[in-house]
Amino acid sequence: MYIHIGEDHMVRVKEIIAIIDKGSTTDSGLAESGKAINLSKGPFKSVVVTEKDIYLSPLASTTLKKRSARMGIPDF
């Protein structure tokens, strides 16, 4: 199964390691490392960590959690 994480990007649910709220990443430098793929045209709201990549998503972590719950996916 796939989950839409922003713009036109879908990620396989099995590849997701974590979905982190923006507030939890401000001090880590994760978003500013240059290794993250920015899917947001403005400020990002959450970070999606997968086995291969790190995405900056325009969708809130709560929205992504609701989407996964609707698909019958257990909590991350």
Side-chain angles (χ1 to χ4, degrees):
M1 289 197 157
Y2 289 83
I3 186 170
H4 176 259
I5 61 168
E7 295 303 312
D8 293 328
H9 206 79
M10 305 277 282
V11 173
R12 284 187 68 148
V13 172
K14 289 182 179 182
E15 293 180 2
I16 296 175
I17 296 170
I19 298 174
I20 307 166
D21 188 62
K22 178 183 179 179
S24 300
T25 64
T26 53
D27 293 334
S28 71
L30 179 67
E32 292 80 23
S33 68
K35 296 180 181 178
I37 300 167
N38 192 351
L39 302 176
S40 180
K41 294 179 181 171
F44 69 96
K45 294 182 181 177
S46 64
V47 177
V48 179
V49 180
T50 68
E51 295 173 357
K52 298 177 185 177
D53 296 303
I54 299 170
Y55 299 96
L56 305 179
S57 175
L59 304 172
S61 58
T62 54
T63 301
L64 294 171
K65 181 177 180 255
K66 287 177 191 175
R67 288 182 180 187
S68 65
R70 272 189 276 157
M71 298 171 68
I73 301 165
D75 285 340
F76 292 95

